Amino acid sequence: MTDKPLIVMDQHFRHLEELFRPETYDALADICRIEGGQNWPMDPGRIDDLIGEATFHVAAFPRLSAEQIGRAKNLRAVIEVAGGFSEGLAYDTCFDAGVEVLSSAPGFRQSVAEMTLAMALAGGRGLVREHEAFRNGSEHWLDDRPETDFTLYGAKVGFIGFGQIARETARLMAPFAPDVMAYDPFLKDAGADVTLCDLKTLVEQCRVVVMAAVPSEETRNLLNAKLIQRLQKGALVILISRAWCVDFPALIAATEEGRICVATDVFPKEPLVQGDALRQARNVILSPHRAAAVPGGRHLIGDMILADVRAILGGRPERQLKMANPAQVASLVAAQKGIQAA
């Protein structure tokens, strides 16, 4: 037995190595006793046995009842590592007991922003289109392709939702000096280099539109069919949050009409079935939900867990992970449930 605070670690489906650099995990183990931390699901009975002693519970999908939280007198924080708030946790009981509920979503920002930049460059410069054209001998040598291609330098780039992933993407794009616009009703100020605007203005004015909104009941089909019709001809729409946030059939129909291009890492149903017509659609760049899937791409999550555990134990208020907002969490959980049911 040790006097160290206890972490009950049930991170599976995530592998431990996916979340933590070896030195980060060692540093966490120096300050906390860790139970679990295996690359397979933790037995629920074992979690129940330990929860009364636990100071932290880390899980891909935390499932703790009000009764369990009531017994968890030492519990300071529940940390999810799947990327969003899901059902199965007694959130109200956590809030009433002063237990923080933290999401790993900010830890995806570097790898997802990198993929977003790659999609913007590939879509704007026609890399995928010309690669495919080479296969049938129809490539366009020394052709500017003004009807489809554009430079990111000085381009108008609009973000629907301006959270941490969008901000990191804008930072990566800064050397191209884009004119950055954002729609985010939760923000009053996005910084000196970002123009906040309404959604209609953004879709009408921006050559690149990045869907980065957090899926919630309020953001379902946020980019709807009417707004898709207002996109300028030749616009590139990049989907990096969830297909939940767009009218996906209307978006793909606009690509088939040749009005816009789409680069997407997410789909209404995943994985995409083999016979889906989208596999042969024109003017699309398809990625099989791999924006964060790169070696080391999720290590920032482990870094943030370590930083926040230290802060909580040290009585400091700063957090790097995303804190659940009692007024919003029900809507976020409902959206995750809808996405998983699709």
Side-chain angles (χ1 to χ4, degrees), residues 259-327:
R259 292 198 303 105
I260 66 169
C261 296
V262 168
T264 184
D265 186 56
V266 291
F267 303 85
K269 294 184 179 181
E270 298 181 4
L272 200 65
V273 298
Q274 287 298 319
D276 197 298
L278 182 57
R279 293 178 179 273
Q280 306 303 323
R282 300 183 304 126
N283 302 315
V284 296
I285 298 173
L286 307 177
S287 170
H289 208 143
R290 319 183 45 249
V294 64
R298 304 176 189 88
H299 281 167
L300 184 58
I301 296 171
D303 296 345
M304 289 178 163
I305 291 172
L306 175 60
D308 283 0
V309 165
R310 283 173 169 165
I312 290 169
L313 293 177
R316 301 189 305 276
E318 69 272 10
R319 300 291 180 268
Q320 295 189 17
L321 297 165
K322 179 180 179 179
M323 294 186 67
N325 183 330

Side-chain angles (χ1 to χ4, degrees), residues 22-288:
E23 60 270 25
T24 304
Y25 192 77
D26 289 345
L28 191 64
D30 281 343
I31 60 174
C32 293
R33 167 182 151 224
I34 301 174
E35 292 284 346
Q38 307 298 322
N39 290 333
W40 53 82
M42 196 170 179
D43 179 69
R46 181 62 175 156
I47 295 173
D48 188 65
D49 289 341
L50 292 168
I51 201 64
E53 183 189 348
T55 303
F56 302 96
H57 180 43
V58 177
F61 302 107
R63 292 182 172 89
L64 295 176
S65 67
E67 185 274 332
Q68 288 174 307
I69 295 165
R71 285 191 280 117
K73 302 302 183 183
N74 297 323
L75 193 62
R76 303 286 298 279
V78 176
I79 302 171
E80 72 77 29
V81 295
F85 297 118
S86 59
E87 64 178 343
L89 179 65
Y91 288 93
D92 288 343
T93 308
C94 286
F95 300 142
D96 290 344
V99 176
E100 296 183 27
V101 183
L102 304 174
S103 170
S104 64
F108 295 89
R109 66 171 182 250
Q110 292 177 343
S111 50
V112 176
E114 181 181 51
M115 177 68 90
T116 308
L117 176 60
M119 286 179 158
L121 290 170
R125 297 303 302 273
L127 290 177
V128 175
R129 184 183 299 108
E130 290 302 313
H131 170 82
E132 292 300 320
F134 262 100
R135 296 181 182 277
N136 58 30
S138 62
E139 71 275 9
H140 301 86
W141 291 92
L142 301 175
D143 190 338
D144 285 1
R145 304 291 290 163
E147 68 278 13
T148 57
D149 294 1
F150 61 91
T151 177
L152 198 55
Y153 281 97
K156 280 197 172 185
V157 178
F159 292 92
I160 302 176
F162 203 64
Q164 292 206 32
I165 289 173
R167 290 171 185 269
E168 180 67 8
T169 303
R171 188 187 71 81
L172 294 182
M173 288 182 174
F176 297 93
D179 182 359
V180 178
M181 305 175 71
Y183 168 75
D184 193 318
F186 296 102
L187 293 180
K188 293 183 179 180
D189 181 15
D193 297 328
V194 180
T195 302
L196 288 174
C197 64
D198 62 82
L199 189 51
K200 176 176 173 290
T201 298
L202 186 149
V203 300
E204 289 178 344
Q205 293 190 10
C206 291
R207 186 67 187 263
V208 180
V209 175
V210 181
M211 174 53 75
V214 176
S216 69
E217 289 183 308
E218 293 77 19
T219 60
R220 185 165 197 177
N221 286 341
L222 182 59
L223 185 59
N224 58 36
K226 289 183 178 179
L227 288 169
I228 290 167
Q229 286 296 320
R230 291 183 175 277
L231 288 162
Q232 62 180 255
K233 184 172 175 57
L236 171 65
V237 179
I238 302 174
L239 304 185
I240 59 166
S241 56
R242 288 292 187 272
W244 170 276
C245 299
V246 304
D247 185 332
F248 202 84
L251 193 68
I252 299 306
T255 69
E256 290 290 341
E257 295 166 4
R259 292 198 303 105
I260 66 169
C261 296
V262 168
T264 184
D265 186 56
V266 291
F267 303 85
K269 294 184 179 181
E270 298 181 4
L272 200 65
V273 298
Q274 287 298 319
D276 197 298
L278 182 57
R279 293 178 179 273
Q280 306 303 323
R282 300 183 304 126
N283 302 315
V284 296
I285 298 173
L286 307 177
S287 170

